Amino acid sequence: MEAGFLRWLLFFALTAWTSGDDGQVTFVSELSSKPAQKLSKYGWYANVRLQRFHIPEETAVARWLFSVKKGHSFHCGQHNVSIHIRWGAPPVINPTETVFPNATLWAPSLSLSLPVTSQSSTTFNLSDPAPGDWFVAAHLPEDDGRIEQKGFPSCSYYFQPQLSVRRAVDTPVLQQGTFLTQTAAPDRPARLKVFVPEFASSLSVSVAECSSQGEAEESKSCPLLLRLGSVSLRHSQTTVNCSGISCSASLSHPPWDTWLRVVVESSQVNRTVTFRIAANYTVGCKPKSVGLKAADDDFTKLLGKSSISNATSTGNTSAAPGSVPSNGSAALMPQPSASACVRSIPVLYEELDVLSLRFTPANGSNISIAATHPTLLTYPLTTQATGGTLNLQLTLNSTNATLGNNSIVACFSPWAPVLKLNHSEPCRTALFGGYGAGINVSVPKALLRLPFPQAATWYLTLQLVCNSSDCGNSSAVSVVPEVSISACVEDCGPYGECRLLRSYTYLYAACGCTAGWKGWGCTDGSTALSYSRQLTATMLLTLSNLFFLPAIVVAVRRSYITEASVYLFTMFFSTFYHACDQPAAAVLCIMDYDALQYCDFLGSICSIWVTILCMARLGDIAKYTLFLLGALLIAMSMQLDRKGLWNLLGPILCAILLMVASWVYRGVRRRHCYPPSWRRWAFYLIPGALCALVGVCLYIFAETEDNYYYTHSLWHILVASCVVFLLPPKEKDRKALGWSQGFNWSWRWSWRPRVWVMLEEFRSPDEI
C-alpha cells in the first residue's frame, strides 16, 4: 500500500509539473523506474546493486525517489542503506576504508544514508543536471562475515530507485555574436544553450541592457545570477552575480564539441528582469589540416600496422581522424607549420575483448615532444568502456641523452585539453579537473590508473618544459605514451580474481580477493592470512574427510557395499573440492572447480539419503529403487540450485518420513517398539542423532568467514561420525539378492547336473 501511494504521489507531482509553464520554454516530464533488488552487506563491489539512469539534454530538474522495503515480518533492527550517485560512470566507493593500489586515483561520489526499519523512502533533487548516464549504487553496511545459507529465513531489504525529470523542448540557442532579448524572474529563469566547437580556447557570455521592474517602479540595476554549465555533483556551475546594467562570464578551456547550458535568473524577490544576452567563443589553436587527398594512403598504412599488431593480439581497430605518417617505432613526428600551435597525433583504437581496449599512436609507439608546441592525443571513451580501469603510462625513451635537467609535463583531462603546460599552471579546464604527470631523466616513467573513468573524450597533452629560457640540445624528446582500458587493476594481482559483473545490459568489473586480502586491487594486506594459516586451513578441510574411513569400514563389515561406495565417493570429492577451494598458494585442483563442487554437494546429500534409507530396513527391491531414484532427483536439484537449503533438507525429511513409516509398521506388526533393544537407542541412535543435529546447526547457524576452516571441518567429522553410529547392524536371514548378502570369504563353486525322474512312468536305464 505504501509503495503504491508513493507511486501515485509521484504521478500527481509529475502532472502538476507538466501543467506548469514559465512563459519562455515548454517543459515535458519523463519518468523511469527500475525493479526492486535485494540488498547485500558490503564485502566487495559485487555486493553493490548498481542501476543506470539516462538524463536527456536540456533537463532542468531531476528528482530521484529511493525506496527501501523490508522483505519479511520478523524484527531485524535498524539498518542504514548507503546510496552513492555519480555521473558518467559507476561510483568508486570505499566503505571499508581499504588501501588503493599504487598510482590509482579516485574521488568519492555523493553518498546518502537512508535509515530503514520496515519501509523508508527519500528523494534527491538536482537542478540543471549534466546530461548523460547517471549511476546509482546501493548496499547495506559492511559484511559481518557470517555465512548465510541460501533459502534460510534472514533479514532482507529491497531497494527500488525511480527517476523523474523535467526537460525543456524549445530552449533558445545563442549564436556567435548575436544578441537575444530575454526575461527572467525568480521563479522563471531564462534558459539558453550555446554550442562550443572543437579547439575553442575560451568562451564568454555577455549580458547587456539589463533593466528590472518591481512592484513599485522600474530600476536600472541588474540583479541577475548568470550560470554556465551543468551540475555533475563533483563539478558545479560557473556563477556570476550581476549587479549593474551589464556583466559577463568567461570560461577558459571550455568543454569541446558539446552544448553548454546558460541559465539567467533574477536574484531579487518580485523583480522581473529584461536583458539582452550573447555568446562569443575564440578558436585560438588548431592543428594543421591534413586535407582529403591522402585518405587512401592512410588505409594502406593502417593495414600495414594492423598486420604487425595481429601477431600478438586480435580485435577491432579504428583510427581517429588525422594523418597517418610512415610507420616506425622510433620515428619522430615532423614539426608543425608556423601557423599551427598544437601538434595533433592520430590514435589507433583497438578493441581486444570485453572491457579491454588499447590506444596507440598510429605512426608508432614513440612520439616526439617539443618545447615550442604542445602535442595532443585524443582518446574517446564510450559508456561501454566505463566499467573498467583507464591506464596511462608515460615512458621516456632511453636513447634521450639530451634531456638534461628539463622535464616533460603531461595533462590528462576529459572534455577539453589544457594547451598551455608548465610547472605553475594547474591541470584543469574550465569545468572539469584533470590529472597531471611529469617525467624526466631521474623519473623516466609515470603511471596513472583511473577506475571507472567517465564516458567522455579524454585528451592527453604533452610538452617539453625547460628550466631555463634555452632548452639547449633538447629540441625534441621521444616519449612512449601507453593508454588502455583493462577490466581490473593489474588483473587483481596474485591474491584476487577479476570478475565480470552485469547490471542488465551494462558490464563492469571488480576484484574478488582471497586469503584475507582486500581493496580495489586486492593489494591491502592488513588482514591477509599467512602461508602457515592457509596451509593449516587446507589441511583441516581436506584431512577431516578421512573420518569417513571408519564409516566405510563399518559399512563393508556389515555388508552395506552400496552405502560404502557412496561414502567413498563423498570422501574423495570433498577432499579435493576443498583443496581446490582454498585461496592463493595452498591450492590443488585435479579437475574443473565447478565439477568438483557439484560432486561434493551431490555426494554429501546422497550419503545422508542412503544412510537413513538403510536405517529404515526396507526390502532390497524397494531400498535400491529408492537409492537410484533419490540419486537421480538429487542430481537434478543440484544442477538447478546446488546451494539451496531445501536441496539439503528435502532429501533428509523424505528419508526420515520413510524411515518412521517403516519403523511404525514393524512396531505395529511385532506389537513392540522398534528398534526393540534399549542399548541400540542409548549407545547408537541417540548419539548418532545428536552428532547429526549438532553438525546441521553448525553448518546453518555458526559458520563465518573467520571460523569457516574450523566449523566446516567439524561438520565433516560430525557427519562421518554419525554414519558410524546410525548404520544398522547386519541383518540376519536375508534372501540373496545382489550385494545384500555380502561377501562369503569361504565359498566354493560347484556344479551338479539335475536328474528328472518321472514318477508316472518308470523307464529302464537303456531308455534314459
Side-chain angles (χ1 to χ4, degrees):
M1 288 293 295
E2 296 182 10
F5 173 75
L6 290 174
R7 291 189 179 93
W8 278 106
L9 182 62
L10 187 61
F11 173 77
F12 285 121
L14 290 174
T15 306
W17 242 0
T18 309
S19 60
D21 190 2
D22 64 359
Q24 290 185 331
V25 296
T26 302
F27 291 97
V28 296
S29 61
E30 297 179 3
L31 176 65
S32 60
S33 178
K34 302 294 182 180
Q37 289 185 322
K38 184 179 179 180
L39 294 176
S40 301
K41 294 181 179 180
Y42 185 84
W44 62 298
Y45 208 85
N47 303 128
V48 173
R49 297 296 171 258
L50 185 66
Q51 304 280 11
R52 181 176 62 164
F53 292 91
H54 182 76
I55 292 184
E57 294 277 354
E58 305 175 23
T59 297
V61 178
R63 175 180 296 171
W64 275 278
L65 174 64
F66 302 122
S67 303
V68 179
K69 182 180 180 181
K70 190 168 68 172
H72 48 78
S73 58
F74 56 90
H75 179 69
C76 288
Q78 179 175 320
H79 292 279
N80 292 329
V81 177
S82 299
I83 303 172
H84 310 272
I85 307 173
R86 189 187 177 199
W87 169 62
V92 181
I93 61 177
N94 189 21
T96 56
E97 298 182 356
T98 56
V99 178
F100 275 73
N102 294 330
T104 302
L105 304 179
W106 69 285
S109 56
L110 175 69
S111 299
L112 305 175
S113 182
L114 179 60
V116 179
T117 53
S118 60
Q119 180 171 347
S120 301
S121 63
T122 185
T123 58
F124 176 71
N125 299 327
L126 189 63
S127 299
D128 301 323
D133 289 329
W134 286 74
F135 292 82
V136 176
H139 61 86
L140 291 173
E142 183 180 357
D143 190 4
D144 55 4
R146 191 171 71 89
I147 300 176
E148 296 181 354
Q149 302 301 327
K150 186 176 181 180
F152 196 78
S154 61
C155 296
S156 58
Y157 297 90
Y158 293 87
F159 172 73
Q160 183 178 24
Q162 294 175 311
L163 171 67
S164 61
V165 299
R166 185 180 182 183
R167 178 174 61 90
V169 295
D170 51 2
T171 304
V173 178
L174 287 176
Q175 302 291 342
Q176 169 82 343
T178 302
F179 278 92
L180 291 178
T181 302
Q182 296 289 311
T183 302
D187 58 340
R188 297 193 310 272
R191 300 180 180 275
L192 307 99
K193 62 180 181 180
V194 58
F195 184 78
V196 182
E198 198 170 359
F199 296 105
S201 58
S202 63
L203 172 70
S204 64
V205 177
S206 303
V207 175
E209 301 180 14
C210 176
S211 62
S212 62
Q213 185 174 2
E215 296 179 352
E217 58 182 358
E218 184 175 349
S219 174
K220 293 297 184 181
S221 62
C222 190
L224 290 178
L225 287 178
L226 177 60
R227 292 190 175 94
L228 303 183
S230 302
V231 176
S232 60
L233 298 182
R234 283 191 58 199
H235 308 95
S236 59
Q237 299 168 298
T238 298
T239 304
V240 175
N241 194 348
C242 302
S243 58
I245 61 173
S246 64
C247 67
S248 64
S250 300
L251 297 180
S252 179
H253 308 299
W256 286 1
D257 197 22
T258 186
W259 288 97
L260 190 69
R261 190 194 311 264
V262 179
V263 179
V264 184
E265 62 184 53
S266 176
S267 60
Q268 292 186 1
V269 181
N270 299 326
R271 290 276 184 174
T272 301
V273 181
T274 303
F275 57 91
R276 300 184 68 196
I277 186 171
N280 292 278
Y281 57 83
T282 303
V283 179
C285 203
K286 275 188 176 181
K288 181 182 178 182
S289 176
V290 298
L292 298 175
K293 296 182 179 180
D296 294 336
D297 296 337
D298 293 345
F299 282 109
T300 303
K301 295 169 184 177
L302 180 61
L303 291 174
K305 180 177 178 60
S306 298
S307 63
I308 298 175
S309 62
N310 283 339
T312 57
S313 63
T314 59
N316 298 329
T317 61
S318 61
S323 61
V324 183
S326 60
N327 189 19
S329 60
L332 299 180
M333 294 294 297
Q335 295 291 335
S337 62
S339 60
C341 59
V342 63
R343 183 191 302 113
S344 180
I345 296 179
V347 175
L348 184 66
Y349 172 94
E350 297 177 276
E351 187 174 355
L352 306 177
D353 204 344
V354 179
L355 293 179
S356 180
L357 308 175
R358 183 173 61 190
F359 300 90
T360 54
N363 67 298
S365 57
N366 290 349
I367 61 174
S368 177
I369 309 300
T372 55
H373 298 85
T375 301
L376 180 64
L377 296 94
T378 305
Y379 305 98
L381 291 187
T382 61
T383 303
Q384 288 75 16
T386 59
T389 301
L390 179 59
N391 306 287
L392 167 65
Q393 179 173 307
L394 300 176
T395 306
L396 184 65
N397 197 323
S398 59
T399 60
N400 287 299
T402 60
L403 185 59
N405 295 327
N406 304 322
S407 61
I408 295 175
V409 179
C411 181
F412 198 42
S413 58
W415 297 102
V418 178
L419 297 180
K420 294 181 180 179
L421 296 178
N422 53 55
H423 293 294
S424 59
E425 292 290 334
C427 178
R428 179 177 178 81
T429 60
L431 300 177
F432 303 97
Y435 303 91
I439 55 176
N440 49 42
V441 174
S442 59
V443 185
K445 183 178 292 187
L447 178 64
L448 292 177
R449 299 189 183 100
L450 305 177
F452 295 160
Q454 285 186 329
T457 300
W458 289 74
Y459 298 91
L460 176 61
T461 310
L462 300 165
Q463 190 167 4
L464 176 62
V465 178
C466 304
N467 293 329
S468 60
S469 59
D470 186 11
C471 290
N473 296 328
S474 303
S475 59
V477 180
S478 181
V479 175
V480 180
E482 299 177 63
V483 178
S484 63
I485 292 287
S486 61
C488 299
V489 177
E490 292 186 346
D491 203 23
C492 301
Y495 301 104
E497 181 181 1
C498 187
R499 305 283 185 87
L500 188 64
L501 308 175
R502 181 176 66 89
S503 174
Y504 303 100
T505 59
Y506 180 76
L507 298 177
Y508 58 104
C511 287
C513 306
T514 59
W517 291 79
K518 56 185 180 179
W520 196 264
C522 299
T523 55
D524 189 341
S526 57
T527 59
L529 302 178
S530 62
Y531 177 75
S532 60
R533 188 174 179 183
Q534 296 179 43
L535 186 60
T536 302
T538 303
M539 299 298 289
L540 283 174
L541 290 171
T542 54
L543 297 183
S544 60
N545 288 283
L546 297 180
F547 276 81
F548 271 99
L549 288 176
I552 296 173
V553 172
V554 170
V556 172
R557 296 275 298 183
R558 297 178 181 178
S559 300
Y560 297 121
I561 307 303
T562 303
E563 291 82 346
S565 63
V566 175
Y567 302 149
L568 180 63
F569 178 91
T570 303
M571 181 185 71
F572 178 83
F573 281 102
S574 179
T575 299
F576 285 100
Y577 163 66
H578 286 290
C580 185
D581 189 46
Q582 296 310 301
V587 58
L588 173 65
C589 296
I590 62 172
M591 62 177 66
D592 182 66
Y593 174 83
D594 188 70
L596 288 173
Q597 185 187 66
Y598 179 83
C599 293
D600 173 51
F601 284 36
L602 177 64
S604 300
I605 300 179
C606 284
S607 297
I608 301 174
W609 173 256
V610 299
T611 301
I612 300 177
L613 288 182
C614 185
M615 295 171 60
R617 294 288 196 179
L618 302 174
D620 289 329
I621 295 178
K623 185 176 75 169
Y624 291 112
T625 301
L626 290 174
F627 277 4
L628 182 59
L629 181 61
L632 293 175
L633 293 177
I634 292 171
M636 179 195 67
S637 64
M638 289 294 101
Q639 181 64 29
L640 295 176
D641 184 12
R642 67 189 61 170
K643 293 186 178 181
L645 180 64
W646 285 104
N647 289 338
L648 173 64
L649 296 182
I652 294 177
L653 296 178
C654 291
I656 291 177
L657 183 62
L658 290 172
M659 182 190 70
V660 171
S662 176
W663 284 8
V664 170
Y665 173 77
R666 286 174 178 264
V668 172
R669 184 178 181 183
R670 298 181 181 184
R671 299 180 183 275
H672 195 281
C673 181
Y674 186 86
S677 174
W678 67 269
R679 293 182 180 86
R680 180 69 184 164
W681 284 94
F683 298 111
Y684 295 98
L685 295 181
I686 294 178
L690 288 177
C691 286
L693 181 62
V694 173
V696 170
C697 291
L698 283 176
Y699 181 79
I700 296 178
F701 301 107
E703 284 188 354
T704 64
E705 296 289 346
D706 295 331
N707 66 11
Y708 174 78
Y709 313 116
Y710 314 108
T711 55
H712 201 75
S713 300
L714 189 58
W715 152 261
H716 291 164
I717 297 172
L718 290 173
V719 170
S721 300
C722 79
V723 172
V724 177
F725 285 104
L726 296 178
L727 270 180
K730 182 178 180 181
E731 191 172 0
K732 299 178 181 180
D733 301 329
R734 301 185 62 190
K735 296 180 180 180
L737 180 61
W739 291 105
S740 62
Q741 193 67 14
F743 286 109
N744 185 4
W745 302 103
S746 61
W747 60 273
R748 292 181 180 180
W749 181 81
S750 62
W751 176 80
R752 292 186 303 170
R754 294 185 177 183
V755 179
W756 295 88
V757 179
M758 304 295 293
L759 298 179
E760 296 82 4
E761 179 182 359
F762 176 81
R763 297 182 182 183
S764 63
D766 295 335
E767 294 175 336
I768 293 179

